[in-house]
């Protein structure tokens, strides 16, 4: 069986490692979950298992039914009423933990803020009133485009408090990407900042959005956080644009948390799929909070009175939603929130932060780990990382070498490594070790979380007991996406069609080994994973084609030591345009403007034509083979087989 996958890092090497790490007796003894029986218990009655977790939350009204499953439509905790922000804030304060730190915030400029649960509650309440004063109603979408500052979680929680639906856009996306996501989600209010800091320099945010905002007639208000203390020019449009701090002063301090239906939408988060149009993944309240609090507790073995947890993702991605904001806060946990880059002002920045706050749990992406390895195989002397007790990985397959380095060098050989597989759509971690129970193998995400059912299947949907195939999920889970915003048909078609309505088609290839362990290999669709960020080939292609000089473009992911995959674009120019180094720079900049810097092709290869089937479909797989210098298979089905040779010559000659 041939599975087309974006060539993930070290796919073959992933499987060939003999090492197995059993949880230490010491870790087992104190772990939240140390008894393997939990797997059987959850398997025997998954609904009871999830209900047990839901019971740990505060419900304004109990549910009548745990699950209503009319595949692929799920409703969890039917009839229940809950307020997510109450669960993340008020109940901890009411329990006497108001002075516990919610976030140790470290700014990229070295600024420090310590935010307790009481502090975060008051900011959230006040800002919820600001939103109300601006006319935001329950169910309405509020855009958030912010740097990693404490206002970001507060803004999300304020939305949750009043039943507004947040739509966070990663700060690295372009103004054009923000415009598109605001328009398609019908956002009427956007929260942004005057600027974000990049290596010590303020980079205007609000100002860079102005043109895009003017193209959004429905945008009633833009709330601007003054991140830099007035250092960048920020034109404010009368009647639309308001300052966060001024609104906060004018708003009431108290905003009671209103209960909402368990299925009330909590947020939309856009992610890339196989088409040029990003998908608005829709999550709801009660099930989502149950799923993320359960997995955060069990996977990271959280004890709030002991742990200082640092998830080094950005709030603009699902990892930030689930495991910087909702999971940790629901669990009353203390987190680090870091605004800057790992190497600013120096390459020891992360180690400095771990030492300063006594971080016990670090959750990051393999791309960061590979970067650290590149900087030097050892942690520079003088940094004390001995407080660390658990390490997590997410976002892309981790190769055993990086896994082992993470465990040995950062974790000093004593910290279990949890490689957690999940997606924006799953909302919560789905395949992962439980650190007090599961033996780990470097490079494997191990087994499904208790209560989760995963299977690898063939093209025809037959279950593969051992071997490779398509990864599927078989049973509803509380944090699962409920639909795509305003596009239920696409939801069904994308995820619940290939193997039937009851089977969620993940879009990843995986192997199962002799112990039933899962090894996720990479995407099976046209999604590229750059540094753990999902990008669609079609989205990048359509941004290239929107340049006046480009007639046609095909984009593929190529292996990259640093970023896992990197974008390579094959570009055919319009008549009258000549290839040049300047044009390469211009096209890269063009993509940055359309989507964001993260989508800039690393490599652009000029092609007079692209390999297409007779029906006109671009053969990306062939382009991947050409780019990597692999032997090409049968090309006679191509409309013009000569194209392949021509592009091959270009690649060889390094004309790109
Ligand atoms: C990939 C990020 C291997 C996978 C939470 C998935 C992984 C996509 C892992 C989702 C992992 C994520 N091992 N691959 N531990 N975690 N992926 O939606 O291809 O940004 O489908 O969610 O990242 O990316 P997303």
């Amino acid at each position: 069986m041939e599975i087309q996958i974006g060539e993930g890092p070290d796919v073959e090497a992933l499987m060939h490692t003999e090492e197995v790490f059993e949880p230490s007796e010491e870790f087992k003894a104190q772990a939240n979950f140390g008894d393997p029986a939990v797997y059987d218990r959850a398997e025997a009655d998954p609904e009871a298992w999830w209900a047990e977790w839901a019971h740990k939350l505060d419900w304004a009204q109990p549910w009548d039914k745990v699950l209503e499953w009319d595949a692929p439509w799920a409703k969890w905790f039917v009839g229940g009423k809950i307020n997510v922000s109450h669960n993340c804030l008020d109940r901890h304060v009411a329990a006497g933990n108001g002075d516990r730190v919610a976030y140790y915030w470290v700014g990229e400029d070295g600024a420090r803020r310590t935010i307790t649960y009481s502090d975060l509650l008051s900011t959230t309440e006040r800002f919820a009133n600001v939103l109300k004063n601006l006319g935001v109603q329950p169910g309405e979408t509020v855009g958030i485009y912010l740097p990693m500052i404490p206002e970001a979680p507060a803004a999300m929680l304020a939305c949750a408090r009043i039943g507004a639906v947040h739509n966070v856009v990663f700060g690295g996306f372009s103004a054009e990407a923000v415009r598109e996501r605001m328009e398609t989600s019908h956002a009427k209010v956007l929260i942004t900042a005057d600027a974000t800091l990049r290596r010590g320099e303020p980079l205007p945010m609000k100002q860079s959005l102005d043109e895009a905002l003017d193209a959004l007639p429905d945008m009633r208000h833009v709330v601007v956080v003054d991140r830099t203390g007035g250092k960048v020019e920020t034109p404010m449009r009368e009647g639309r644009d308001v300052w966060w701090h001024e609104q906060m002063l004018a708003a009431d301090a108290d905003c009671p948390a209103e209960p909402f239906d368990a299925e009330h939408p909590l947020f939309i988060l856009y992610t890339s799929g196989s088409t040029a149009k990003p998908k608005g993944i829709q999550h709801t309240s009660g099930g989502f909070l149950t799923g993320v609090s359960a997995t955060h507790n069990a996977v990271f073995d959280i004890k709030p009175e002991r742990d200082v947890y640092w998830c080094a993702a950005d709030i603009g991605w699902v990892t930030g939603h689930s495991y910087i904001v909702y999971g940790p806060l629901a669990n009353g946990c203390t987190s680090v929130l870091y605004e800057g880059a790992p190497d600013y002002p120096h390459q020891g920045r992360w180690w400095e932060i771990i030492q300063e706050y006594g971080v016990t749990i670090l959750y990051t992406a393999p791309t960061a780990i590979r970067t650290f390895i590149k900087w030097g195989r050892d942690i520079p002397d003088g940094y004390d990382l001995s407080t660390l007790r658990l390490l997590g990985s997410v976002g892309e397959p981790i190769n055993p070498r990086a896994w082992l380095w993470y465990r040995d060098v950062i974790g000093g050989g004593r910290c279990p490594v949890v490689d957690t597989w999940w997606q924006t759509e799953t909302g919560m971690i789905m395949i992962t070790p439980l650190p007090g129970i599961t033996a780990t193998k470097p490079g494997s995400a191990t087994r499904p979380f208790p209560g989760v059912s995963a299977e690898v299947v063939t093209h025809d949907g037959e279950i593969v007991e051992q071997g490779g195939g398509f990864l599927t999920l078989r049973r509803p889970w509380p944090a699962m996406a409920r639909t795509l915003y305003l596009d239920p048909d696409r939801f069904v078609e994308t995820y619940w069609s290939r193997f039937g309505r009851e089977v969620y088609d993940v879009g990843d290839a995986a192997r199962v080994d002799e112990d039933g362990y899962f090894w996720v290999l990479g995407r099976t669709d046209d999604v590229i994973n750059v540094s753990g960020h999902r990008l669609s080939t079609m989205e990048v292609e359509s941004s290239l084609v929107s340049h006046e000089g480009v007639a046609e473009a095909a984009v593929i992911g190529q292996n990259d030591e640093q970023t896992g995959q990197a974008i390579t674009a094959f570009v055919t120019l319009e008549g009258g345009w000549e290839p040049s180094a300047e044009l390469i720079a211009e096209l890269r900049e063009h993509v940055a403007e359309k989507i964001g810097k993260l989508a800039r092709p690393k490599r652009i290869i000029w092609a007079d034509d692209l390999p297409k089937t007779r029906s006109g479909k671009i053969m990306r797989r062939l382009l991947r083979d050409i780019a990597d210098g692999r032997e090409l298979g049968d090309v006679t089905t191509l409309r013009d087989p000569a194209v392949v040779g021509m592009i091959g010559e270009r690649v060889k000659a390094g004309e790109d």
Side-chain angles (χ1 to χ4, degrees):
M1 178 185 52
E2 186 200 21
I3 302 167
Q4 287 185 19
I5 53 166
E7 321 294 325
D10 265 357
V11 171
E12 276 312 307
L14 267 174
M15 290 292 295
H16 302 298
T17 164
E18 304 297 317
E19 273 153 302
V20 176
F21 295 92
E22 296 288 345
S24 69
E25 289 309 320
E26 192 195 342
F27 199 96
K28 260 192 210 170
Q30 52 69 49
N32 289 350
F33 288 89
D35 181 359
V38 69
Y39 282 99
D40 293 337
R41 185 156 68 79
E43 196 58 28
D45 192 347
E47 287 182 30
W49 160 253
W50 293 120
E52 228 176 88
W53 284 105
H55 275 301
K56 295 183 203 286
L57 301 173
D58 269 2
W59 292 78
Q61 186 178 303
W63 58 87
D64 309 314
K65 206 171 166 206
V66 175
L67 170 67
E68 222 173 78
W69 179 227
D70 177 13
W73 311 112
K75 285 188 183 147
W76 283 86
F77 309 111
V78 184
K81 288 201 188 306
I82 191 166
N83 184 289
V84 168
S85 99
H86 164 89
N87 274 282
C88 291
L89 302 169
D90 308 55
R91 78 179 164 128
H92 304 312
V93 175
N97 293 320
D99 291 339
R100 184 183 292 159
V101 175
Y103 294 114
Y104 289 116
W105 178 71
V106 181
E108 108 134 17
D109 53 359
R112 302 280 197 278
R113 273 162 75 182
T114 296
I115 296 132
T116 64
Y117 274 87
S118 295
D119 297 336
L120 191 56
L121 175 59
S122 6
T123 310
T124 300
E125 286 199 69
R126 231 178 237 281
F127 193 66
N129 282 328
V130 169
L131 292 175
K132 280 186 176 173
N133 293 344
L134 295 176
V136 175
Q137 299 291 324
E140 272 189 348
T141 312
V142 172
I144 298 179
Y145 182 61
L146 282 173
M148 285 280 284
I149 52 178
E151 284 80 357
M156 292 162 77
L157 291 159
C159 289
R161 197 163 189 88
I162 62 167
V165 183
H166 57 72
N167 173 11
V168 182
V169 180
F170 171 56
F173 274 122
S174 67
E176 174 53 25
V178 175
R179 190 202 56 72
E180 185 185 6
R181 285 159 175 74
M182 292 305 117
E183 186 175 274
T184 48
S185 69
H186 304 282
K188 298 200 177 65
V189 170
L190 174 69
I191 302 151
T192 187
D194 61 340
T196 177
L197 300 181
R198 279 293 168 271
R199 316 196 81 79
E201 292 300 320
L203 209 76
M205 265 186 132
K206 162 67 172 63
Q207 190 198 52
S208 76
L209 285 179
D210 276 337
E211 209 177 305
L213 288 170
D214 290 342
L216 290 168
D218 292 340
M219 189 57 79
R220 283 196 312 253
H221 290 292
V222 180
V223 185
V224 187
V225 177
D226 180 9
R227 169 69 187 91
T228 67
K231 285 213 192 80
V232 293
E233 199 194 327
T234 306
M236 301 289 276
R237 203 223 261 176
E238 185 74 29
R240 185 192 64 189
D241 304 344
V242 294
W243 288 103
W244 170 292
H245 55 274
E246 290 178 5
Q247 296 293 309
M248 288 292 268
L249 278 178
D252 275 353
D254 300 321
C255 178
E258 241 180 280
F260 292 97
D261 194 272
E263 284 296 324
H264 187 81
L266 180 63
F267 66 88
I268 307 168
L269 184 60
Y270 281 85
T271 188
S272 297
S274 324
T275 71
K277 207 173 136 232
K279 300 180 286 196
I281 308 293
Q282 174 82 73
H283 283 286
T284 61
S285 305
F288 176 80
L289 200 63
T290 300
V292 297
S293 57
T295 46
H296 182 255
N297 171 299
V299 174
F300 300 110
D301 191 47
I302 297 292
K303 288 199 173 60
E305 43 312 321
R306 168 194 63 196
D307 287 310
V308 178
Y309 158 90
W310 182 13
C311 169
D314 192 284
I315 279 178
W317 306 105
V318 76
T319 310
H321 284 58
S322 300
Y323 298 111
I324 295 179
V325 181
Y326 293 112
L329 294 177
N331 289 336
C333 176
T334 297
S335 294
V336 168
L337 187 67
Y338 177 49
E339 185 188 31
D343 59 346
Y344 184 83
H346 56 81
Q347 293 181 347
R349 190 59 183 258
W350 277 30
W351 321 132
E352 199 174 72
I353 292 171
I354 290 173
Q355 178 176 303
E356 180 175 344
Y357 295 105
V359 171
T360 58
I361 301 158
L362 178 65
Y363 189 32
T364 187
T367 186
I369 298 164
R370 289 192 300 269
T371 303
F372 296 135
I373 296 176
K374 200 178 99 188
W375 289 345
R377 296 201 58 84
D378 296 314
I379 299 295
D381 284 344
Y383 290 114
D384 177 6
L385 308 186
S386 63
T387 51
L388 285 172
R389 49 182 297 278
L390 180 65
L391 302 172
S393 170
V394 62
E396 42 170 335
I398 180 165
N399 54 320
R401 197 170 66 96
W403 192 103
L404 287 165
W405 184 87
Y406 196 26
R407 187 179 191 282
D408 292 342
V409 179
I410 299 185
R414 69 184 181 276
C415 304
V417 173
V418 289
D419 176 12
T420 63
W421 177 89
W422 60 295
Q423 306 178 306
T424 307
E425 293 86 340
T426 70
M428 65 183 220
I429 293 170
M430 300 297 282
I431 304 182
T432 177
L434 290 184
I437 299 177
T438 322
T440 52
K441 301 184 188 184
S444 169
T446 77
R447 11 177 351 190
F449 188 80
V452 168
S453 165
E455 299 285 358
V456 164
V457 301
T458 64
H459 272 286
D460 305 325
E462 270 166 53
I463 291 176
V464 176
E465 298 292 346
Q466 202 182 312
F470 300 91
L471 184 60
T472 60
L473 298 167
R474 302 267 144 176
R475 186 190 284 152
W477 62 98
M480 68 196 287
R482 298 300 194 265
T483 189
L484 295 183
Y485 183 69
L486 297 183
D487 205 350
D489 293 345
R490 191 173 172 206
F491 180 68
V492 176
E493 183 199 320
T494 312
Y495 305 107
W496 304 92
S497 293
R498 178 137 69 147
F499 306 113
R501 289 286 181 275
E502 303 265 346
V503 178
Y504 174 84
D505 178 12
V506 161
D508 282 352
R511 279 171 190 273
V512 186
D513 72 10
E514 63 281 8
D515 298 319
Y517 273 39
F518 288 78
W519 301 75
V520 179
L521 304 174
R523 303 287 307 189
T524 56
D525 53 9
D526 293 321
V527 171
I528 305 178
N529 191 329
V530 181
S531 301
H533 299 156
R534 265 166 81 166
L535 290 161
S536 124
T537 53
M538 305 276 265
E539 213 177 330
V540 181
E541 283 167 6
S542 82
S543 76
L544 281 166
V545 172
S546 72
H547 185 280
E548 53 176 346
V550 176
E552 207 168 27
V555 162
I556 59 164
Q558 275 196 282
N559 282 350
D560 187 277
E561 199 170 334
Q562 212 55 48
T563 57
Q565 288 190 296
I567 297 175
T568 296
F570 295 83
V571 172
T572 309
L573 291 175
E574 291 279 0
W577 287 78
E578 289 300 321
S580 68
E582 291 73 39
L583 189 53
I584 288 182
E586 191 177 315
L587 290 178
R588 295 182 75 237
E589 200 38 48
H590 181 75
V591 175
E593 267 169 35
K594 287 280 166 191
I595 305 177
K597 287 200 174 84
L598 68 170
R600 265 191 314 219
K602 181 165 180 186
R603 195 173 170 203
I604 290 181
I605 297 169
W606 305 115
D608 299 336
D609 198 357
L610 296 169
K612 290 185 196 132
T613 59
R614 295 216 170 91
S615 60
K617 193 171 171 286
I618 296 175
M619 301 275 290
R620 291 197 187 74
R621 185 174 52 84
L622 265 183
L623 288 171
R624 276 201 285 268
D625 289 342
I626 298 171
D628 290 342
R630 273 190 298 272
E631 201 61 39
L632 302 183
D634 184 14
V635 295
T636 53
T637 53
L638 289 180
R639 187 191 300 178
D640 178 4
V643 168
V644 174
M646 177 275 299
I647 300 178
E649 291 301 310
R650 287 275 165 81
V651 171
K652 264 200 218 114
E655 273 183 46
D656 44 313

